[in-house]
Amino acid sequence: MRAVVVRSFGGPEVLEVAEVPVPVAGEGQVRIRVEAATVNPVDLATRSGALAEAGLMSARDVVGLGWDVAGTVEEVGPGVTGIEPGDRVIGLSDRLDVPLGAQADQVVLDADAVTATPAGVSPVQAATLPLNGLTAAQALDGLGLSPGQTLLVTGAAGAVGGFATQLAAARGIRVIAVAGAGDEPLVRELGADLFVPRTARLGEAVRALVPGGVHAALDAALTGAAALDAVRSHGAFAALVAGAAPPPLRGVRVFTHWIYADGARLAELAALVEAGSLTLRVAGTLPLEQVAAAHKRLAEGGLRGRLVLTP
């Protein structure tokens, strides 16, 4: 079968669609025939070597790419219950240091990392949910906000920020969205109560709308100290990338959220998609062989949704 791998770090030119052995589902695992796999910023950081330089990966001869997957179960390993061959599922591969990722014809995942594909949703749409949806939901949990409190979401028009805006609004949290000026209609449709263009001096702009500052910030755009300045003393701040967290000034509880696979929580998000309260956005689709083009396009920025590879 085919799989996207890198044998050395560098630009998109190091990406290879290689012929590799079909993986076997072990105990507690399932093998999925991939119908769609999303390209995320973490794939670019893996390919470039940034994650290895940060000490998040060890040296290996071959590194597989891809976290999100939507497809059909082909094999069920010993000890797996509730999942059968032929089931349509979505799931998340949450390990960095692997020889085979989700950007492949087939992938093996732990059974507790997958759930049923939302009804009425195509594999291409469904593949955009696991990584970004779980990141937003888990980071919101970490912030610990109550209904009526105020949350700043930077990058609110992006994949993680869009999910965070919708999920927070559904919890009764007042959302201030930060995005490009042209994205105001989009983020308001997603549930934002207030809007600040990203070109503004963030702390001052937010505090003009919310005197005293917001209760918390979810920094999907990696603005760091600028977003922290908008948070009131003893508030909370969620960073989403290693090294992007600002210092915990004014008693603000600052943490970096590390995504992890959670099939049960993913099922909750899938139910929200089925109910029409969580929006899936696809920026475009490309065949697996054009993975390098997908990396180049993602690096250019400005996407509203995710690029999806179709094996």
Side-chain angles (χ1 to χ4, degrees), residues 39 62-63 95-96 103 128-129 156 163 169 194 238 287 306:
V39 179
V62 179
V63 177
R95 294 173 57 206
L96 292 167
Q103 292 169 12
T128 66
L129 179 62
F163 283 135
L194 298 168
R306 282 286 177 249

Side-chain angles (χ1 to χ4, degrees), residues 219-248:
D219 190 20
L222 313 183
T223 56
L228 183 74
D229 188 46
V231 180
R232 64 181 59 191
S233 298
H234 306 290
F237 184 102
L240 303 182
V241 174

Side-chain angles (χ1 to χ4, degrees), residues 139 143 217-220 222 224 237-246 254-258:
L143 290 169
L218 192 156
D219 190 20
L222 313 183
F237 184 102
L240 303 182
V241 174
V254 176
F255 66 95
T256 299
H257 174 65
W258 298 92

Side-chain angles (χ1 to χ4, degrees), residues 160-237:
V160 174
F163 283 135
T165 298
Q166 285 192 297
L167 291 170
R171 298 183 187 186
I173 296 167
R174 187 183 184 207
V175 177
I176 299 181
V178 180
D183 290 316
E184 183 175 359
L186 168 62
V187 297
R188 287 192 180 275
E189 183 179 347
L190 293 175
D193 297 278
L194 298 168
F195 175 78
V196 176
R198 63 173 175 237
T199 55
R201 191 169 183 84
L202 194 52
E204 294 177 5
V206 171
R207 288 172 180 268
L209 297 173
V210 184
V214 297
H215 294 93
L218 192 156
D219 190 20
L222 313 183
T223 56
L228 183 74
D229 188 46
V231 180
R232 64 181 59 191
S233 298
H234 306 290
F237 184 102

Side-chain angles (χ1 to χ4, degrees), residues 8-306:
S8 61
F9 298 126
E13 70 279 356
V14 304
L15 292 163
E16 177 184 350
V17 180
E19 290 292 331
V20 300
V22 175
V24 176
E27 184 170 357
Q29 296 181 319
V30 296
R31 177 164 53 86
I32 301 166
R33 178 168 291 281
V34 178
E35 296 173 48
T38 310
V39 179
N40 290 285
V42 66
D43 299 314
L44 276 62
T46 302
R47 182 215 74 220
S48 70
L51 298 183
E53 291 176 6
L56 298 176
M57 298 172 54
S58 60
R60 65 162 60 241
D61 293 336
V62 179
V63 177
L65 297 183
W67 287 51
D68 292 304
V69 62
T72 302
V73 175
E74 293 235 324
E75 179 188 15
V76 173
V80 174
T81 59
I83 303 176
E84 302 290 341
D87 287 351
R88 299 189 66 191
V89 296
I90 55 175
L92 181 69
S93 173
D94 62 0
R95 294 173 57 206
L96 292 167
D97 195 1
V98 292
L100 177 64
Q103 292 169 12
D105 288 326
Q106 301 193 47
V107 65
V108 167
L109 297 180
D110 292 339
D112 60 7
V114 306
T115 194
T117 300
V121 172
S122 71
V124 167
Q125 293 172 309
T128 66
L129 179 62
L131 175 58
N132 296 289
L134 284 172
T135 297
Q138 293 169 0
L140 279 174
D141 291 344
L143 290 169
L145 293 176
S146 301
Q149 291 188 308
T150 305
L151 171 69
L152 179 71
V153 177
T154 70
V160 174
F163 283 135
T165 298
Q166 285 192 297
L167 291 170
R171 298 183 187 186
I173 296 167
R174 187 183 184 207
V175 177
I176 299 181
V178 180
D183 290 316
E184 183 175 359
L186 168 62
V187 297
R188 287 192 180 275
E189 183 179 347
L190 293 175
D193 297 278
L194 298 168
F195 175 78
V196 176
R198 63 173 175 237
T199 55
R201 191 169 183 84
L202 194 52
E204 294 177 5
V206 171
R207 288 172 180 268
L209 297 173
V210 184
V214 297
H215 294 93
L218 192 156
D219 190 20
L222 313 183
T223 56
L228 183 74
D229 188 46
V231 180
R232 64 181 59 191
S233 298
H234 306 290
F237 184 102
L240 303 182
V241 174
L249 304 176
R250 296 176 287 104
V252 175
R253 177 173 61 88
V254 176
F255 66 95
T256 299
H257 174 65
W258 298 92
I259 177 70
Y260 56 90
D262 184 342
R265 191 60 184 283
L266 187 56
E268 295 175 2
L269 297 177
L272 292 176
V273 172
E274 291 180 2
S277 55
L278 198 60
T279 304
L280 304 178
R281 293 180 290 159
V282 177
T285 60
L286 299 93
L288 191 69
E289 293 82 2
Q290 293 185 22
V291 60
H295 276 231
K296 292 175 183 176
R297 179 63 188 90
L298 180 56
E300 292 171 358
L303 294 175
R304 296 297 174 255
R306 282 286 177 249

